[in-house]
């Protein structure tokens, strides 16, 4: 399901000259839409690179004049930005890698192994997809408080290790891999872990990429969890850190903009690098499922 | 998340696969592979869900011992004007989000699909999707400034067009529409990508046949493309509604008190305030079950509806 997202269908050539004016209008309209979509982001980045006295001027400045990077240097005086970035990275990496491992194992069990209650367990897990996180968050908070994990990063990544959608997605994907492959390996005496990690997983690249991207993005951008579980700045992740910075006293608007830019630009760069897989993962999770 | 479980399950399995089933002696292997997921599921999903039901029957502030309240929390919900307000806001938000995303996403996908200029097409696709990869926290903070009444971009340019702009987030009749607009900016890329992918599933032969039969562009769109895309549109509708119904991040960040005259108070925002600010844990749990009930109804409608209406 990946490639089609980015390829346009070729229009018939014979009609080309007839539709041309409409096509130009269409192109112009879409160009305007595109410009309007990115304008706030351009404005954000430009202001963050503008000296404080000149920022947020009217009419809006679209070039950073006078240019400065001081705004970025000033972030650390207000929030421990580096610490927060590391926290974000730590939570996202642990929850993504962990949940992928857990989900691949479970997906294999549901796809390839026979045991009592298999369908029942799968059905119960799938119906839990209807349970919103808001319903479970209060009991999970009480649980974390009893475990002494409130205001610890573990309170964020531990519950993220269970990813029912990924389990189901992997099960569906594994079902499309011919069973003759693992049967052959079984006859040669291969164990189940060997079959999973040497045959099934290497053949599941697209599914794995899609789920990894979605899981990482969900964790990296999570705001609700950190808002509820974290309270001290040195334990915070970036999204909650940004909001704290903006709400706090003493942070001027340009510094807030610098912090937002510092959070947003790396994500935009990563997105540009992996744009195809990103769009494909959304589309496949949506269309295939 | 259209779930094709039943279809897959009923497919007969060739007997050659049976060996993994063993004679029942190797059952432990399955449980071994499943055990981390099962343990986490019980601990963080199933257990808390049951606990939420139990908590909804109590009055508890997380500090003093809980008191059994029976269905008291649920009856209290019926007489809670703020809950009604938040439900109304949430439905308005979700429906507005549904309509704008489906129409906008479909139109944009149709338009981009027709673009022949590769550079322009890349630019439009990228710029539409950019906001979606950014966290709500960054988006909400950015838009607080973009819509600022004194130096915001929107204020300035609309002013140049001769339009009077309201004080967006402080005006009871504009606060919720503002958030609807920001949500559109943030998530339209998601709907767009889904629609664009759905558009590729429309067989070229059908479009060609329609053209040979003399159908114009509008007829082709209405009688071929949209019916063929109905599974995609239906999926996008459900996922957009469910996401919108749980709207929380931008509301909490931009209007931490629920907006002027509670005009942006959403159900999840209300539940957050009750549970984590005024510590009425039992009542918040009851409200959270209401959110669950709505989501369950919509999901079951999806199951039922996709069989009835959607072209397969």
């Amino acid at each position: 399901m990946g490639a089609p997202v980015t390829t346009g269908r070729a229009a018939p050539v014979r009609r080309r000259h007839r539709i041309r004016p409409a096509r130009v209008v269409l192109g112009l309209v879409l160009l305007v839409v595109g410009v309007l979509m990115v304008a706030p982001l351009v404005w954000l980045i430009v202001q963050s690179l503008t000296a404080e006295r000149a920022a947020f001027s009217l009419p809006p400045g679209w070039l950073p004049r006078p240019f400065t990077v001081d705004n970025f240097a000033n972030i650390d005086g207000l929030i421990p930005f580096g610490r927060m970035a590391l926290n974000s990275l730590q939570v996202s990496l642990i929850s993504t890698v962990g949940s992928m491992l857990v989900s691949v194992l479970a997906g294999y069990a549901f796809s390839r192994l026979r045991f009592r209650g298999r369908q029942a367990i799968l059905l119960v897990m799938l119906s839990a997809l209807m349970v919103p996180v808001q319903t479970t968050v209060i009991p999970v908070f009480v649980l974390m408080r009893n475990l002494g994990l409130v205001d610890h990063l573990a309170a964020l990544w531990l519950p993220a290790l269970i990813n029912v959608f990924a389990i189901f997605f992997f099960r569906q994907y594994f079902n499309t891999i011919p069973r003759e492959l693992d049967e052959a390996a079984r006859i040669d005496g291969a164990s189940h872990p060997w079959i999973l990690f040497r045959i099934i997983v290497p053949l599941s690249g697209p599914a794995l990429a899609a789920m990894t991207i979605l899981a990482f993005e969900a964790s990296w951008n999570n705001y609700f969890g950190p808002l509820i579980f974290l309270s001290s700045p040195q334990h915070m992740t970036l999204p909650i850190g940004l909001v704290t910075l903006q709400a706090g006293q003493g942070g001027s608007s340009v510094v807030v903009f610098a912090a937002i830019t510092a959070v947003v630009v790396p994500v935009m760069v990563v997105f540009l690098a992996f744009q195809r897989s990103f769009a494909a993962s959304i589309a496949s999770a949506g269309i295939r499922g | 998340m259209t779930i094709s479980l039943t279809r897959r399950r009923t497919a007969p399995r060739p007997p050659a696969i049976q060996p993994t089933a063993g004679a029942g002696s190797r059952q432990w292997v399955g449980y071994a592979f499943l055990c981390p997921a099962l343990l986490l599921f019980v601990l963080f999903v199933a257990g808390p869900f049951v606990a939420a039901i139990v908590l909804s029957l109590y009055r508890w502030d997380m500090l003093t011992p809980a008191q059994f309240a029976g269905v008291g929390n649920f009856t209290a919900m019926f007489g809670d004007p703020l809950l009604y307000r938040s439900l109304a806001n949430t439905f308005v938000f979700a429906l507005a989000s549904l309509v704008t995303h489906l129409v906008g996403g479909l139109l944009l996908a149709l338009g981009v699909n027709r673009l022949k200029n590769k550079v322009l097409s890349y630019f439009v696709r990228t710029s539409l999707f950019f906001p979606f990869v950014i966290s709500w926290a960054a988006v909400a903070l950015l838009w607080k400034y973009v819509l600022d009444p004194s130096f915001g971009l929107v204020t300035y340019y609309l002013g140049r067009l001769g339009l009077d702009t309201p004080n967006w987030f402080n005006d009871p009749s504009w606060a919720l529409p503002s958030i609807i607009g920001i949500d559109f900016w943030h998530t339209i890329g998601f709907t767009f990508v889904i629609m664009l992918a759905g558009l590729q599933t429309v067989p070229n032969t059908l479009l060609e046949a329609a053209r040979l039969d003399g159908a114009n562009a509008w007829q082709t769109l209405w009688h071929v493309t949209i019916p063929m895309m109905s599974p995609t549109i239906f999926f996008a509708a459900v996922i957009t509604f469910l996401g919108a119904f749980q709207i929380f991040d931008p509301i909490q960040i931009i209007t931490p008190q629920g907006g002027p005259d509670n005009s942006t108070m959403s159900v999840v925002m209300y539940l957050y305030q009750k549970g984590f600010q005024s510590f009425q844990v039992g009542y918040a749990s009851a409200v959270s079950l209401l959110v669950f009930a709505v989501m369950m109804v919509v999901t079951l409608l999806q199951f039922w509806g996709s069989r009835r209406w959607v072209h397969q």
Side-chain angles (χ1 to χ4, degrees), chain B residues 5-241:
Chain B
L5 176 70
T6 40
R7 225 175 307 136
R8 302 258 180 173
R9 198 173 37 171
T10 47
R13 207 159 264 155
I17 313 163
Q18 291 301 335
T20 28
S25 58
R26 308 290 304 273
Q27 294 230 357
W28 65 270
V29 181
Y31 296 121
F33 272 74
L34 198 58
C35 109
L38 209 54
L39 197 71
L40 289 161
F41 181 77
V42 170
L43 210 54
F44 295 115
V45 183
F49 179 65
V50 174
I53 296 174
V54 174
L55 279 178
S56 72
L57 302 174
Y58 283 84
R59 240 173 238 119
W60 190 35
D61 60 2
M62 285 200 194
L63 297 169
T64 53
Q67 287 174 313
F68 187 72
V71 292
N73 288 321
F74 292 95
T75 48
M77 273 163 50
F78 284 102
D80 183 348
L82 200 47
L83 179 65
Y84 285 124
R85 186 74 206 267
S86 67
L87 274 171
N89 287 340
T90 310
F91 273 107
V92 167
F93 178 85
L95 288 178
S97 174
L98 184 71
V99 172
T100 51
H101 279 78
L102 289 192
V103 174
L106 186 59
L107 288 179
L108 287 166
L110 286 167
V112 169
N113 207 37
R114 278 175 162 258
L115 276 186
K116 305 201 71 179
N117 186 320
K118 286 248 165 64
V119 179
L120 181 59
S121 168
Y122 176 82
F123 169 72
V124 176
R125 276 184 282 122
T126 310
S127 59
L128 282 176
F129 206 65
F130 248 150
F132 183 67
V133 295
I134 301 168
S135 70
W136 253 128
V139 169
L141 290 182
L142 169 60
W143 276 86
K144 244 177 140 163
Y145 290 90
V146 172
L147 291 180
D148 188 276
S150 54
F151 58 79
L153 274 186
V154 171
T155 317
Y156 176 78
Y157 286 110
L158 287 184
R160 284 283 294 272
L161 294 175
L163 295 168
D164 240 356
T165 46
N167 192 344
W168 304 99
F169 303 122
N170 293 318
D171 184 330
S173 49
W174 279 102
L176 192 61
S178 307
I179 303 220
I180 292 170
I182 300 171
D183 176 62
F184 182 80
W185 184 81
H186 181 46
T187 50
I188 185 61
F190 176 79
T191 324
F192 164 73
V193 165
I194 300 242
M195 292 289 191
L196 198 58
L199 208 49
Q200 314 297 331
T201 64
V202 180
N204 259 332
T205 48
L206 279 186
L207 298 171
E208 202 59 41
R211 194 149 39 224
L212 289 175
D213 288 346
N216 62 33
W218 176 252
Q219 288 168 325
T220 311
L221 173 68
W222 201 244
H223 295 292
V224 180
T225 310
I226 288 183
M228 289 306 290
M229 278 183 74
S230 57
T232 306
I233 296 174
F234 196 70
F235 168 79
V238 170
I239 213 94
T240 306
F241 186 87

Side-chain angles (χ1 to χ4, degrees), chain A residues 4-9 12 14-16 23 26-27 30-31 33-35 37-38 40-41 43-44 56 58-60 62 102 105-106 108-110 112-116 118-119 121-126 128-132 134-145 158-159 161-162 164-165 167-168 171-172 176 179 183 186 192-193 196 217 221 223-224 227-228 239 242-243 246 253 256-257 260 264 267-268 271-272 275 278-279 282-283 286-287 289, chain B residues 1-5 8-9 13 16-21 26-27 29-31 33-34 36-38 40-41 43-45 48-49 51-52 55 60 62 108 111-116 120 122-135 137-138 141-146 150-153 156-157 185 188 190 193-194 196-200 202 204 207-208 211 232 235 246 248-249 252-253 268 271-272 275-276 281 284-285 288-289 291-292 295-296 299:
Chain A
V5 179
T6 44
T7 55
R9 197 188 294 110
R14 62 196 163 83
R15 286 203 154 201
R16 202 171 160 185
R23 212 173 268 287
L26 173 72
L30 288 174
L31 180 68
V33 170
V35 169
M37 289 296 286
V38 289
L41 294 171
W43 187 62
L44 161 77
F56 300 110
L58 288 176
W62 293 99
V102 170
L105 289 171
Y108 183 79
F110 284 128
R112 292 297 203 268
L113 302 171
R114 286 302 173 100
F115 50 92
R116 199 160 294 140
R118 188 174 77 153
Q119 294 300 343
I121 296 172
L122 182 60
L123 268 178
V124 169
M125 282 192 171
L126 283 177
L129 282 174
M130 289 186 287
V131 180
Q134 294 90 16
T135 303
T136 51
V137 70
I138 294 172
V140 170
F141 181 81
V142 175
L143 175 69
M144 290 300 172
R145 207 179 55 163
L158 255 178
L161 292 180
I162 179 73
V164 174
F165 183 69
I167 292 176
F168 180 68
R171 171 198 182 263
Q172 300 294 79
T176 66
R179 284 153 199 274
E183 288 312 316
R186 296 277 303 152
H192 283 294
L196 172 59
E217 202 229 358
N221 289 342
Y223 175 73
F224 190 63
L227 175 71
I228 282 165
L242 281 184
V243 175
Q246 198 268 338
S253 297
V256 175
F257 262 40
I260 302 175
V264 161
V267 177
M268 284 163 63
F271 166 65
L272 281 178
Q275 186 169 4
F278 208 104
I282 301 272
I287 302 300
Chain B
M1 272 176 279
T2 32
I3 288 159
S4 55
L5 176 70
R8 302 258 180 173
R9 198 173 37 171
R13 207 159 264 155
I17 313 163
Q18 291 301 335
T20 28
R26 308 290 304 273
Q27 294 230 357
V29 181
Y31 296 121
F33 272 74
L34 198 58
L38 209 54
L40 289 161
F41 181 77
L43 210 54
F44 295 115
V45 183
F49 179 65
L55 279 178
W60 190 35
M62 285 200 194
L108 287 166
V112 169
N113 207 37
R114 278 175 162 258
L115 276 186
K116 305 201 71 179
L120 181 59
Y122 176 82
F123 169 72
V124 176
R125 276 184 282 122
T126 310
S127 59
L128 282 176
F129 206 65
F130 248 150
F132 183 67
V133 295
I134 301 168
S135 70
L141 290 182
L142 169 60
W143 276 86
K144 244 177 140 163
Y145 290 90
V146 172
S150 54
F151 58 79
L153 274 186
Y156 176 78
Y157 286 110
W185 184 81
I188 185 61
F190 176 79
V193 165
I194 300 242
L196 198 58
L199 208 49
Q200 314 297 331
V202 180
N204 259 332
L207 298 171
E208 202 59 41
R211 194 149 39 224
T232 306
F235 168 79
Q246 300 177 70
F248 174 77
D249 294 3
Q252 199 274 338
I253 295 168
V268 174
L271 141 70
Y272 167 76
F276 293 95
V281 175
S285 297
S288 82
L289 290 175
V291 177
F292 162 69
M295 293 196 55
M296 190 175 70
T299 313

Side-chain angles (χ1 to χ4, degrees), chain B residues 277-294:
Chain B
Q277 289 181 332
S278 45
F279 295 105
Q280 300 177 34
V281 175
Y283 191 69
S285 297
V287 175
S288 82
L289 290 175
L290 180 70
V291 177
F292 162 69
V294 171

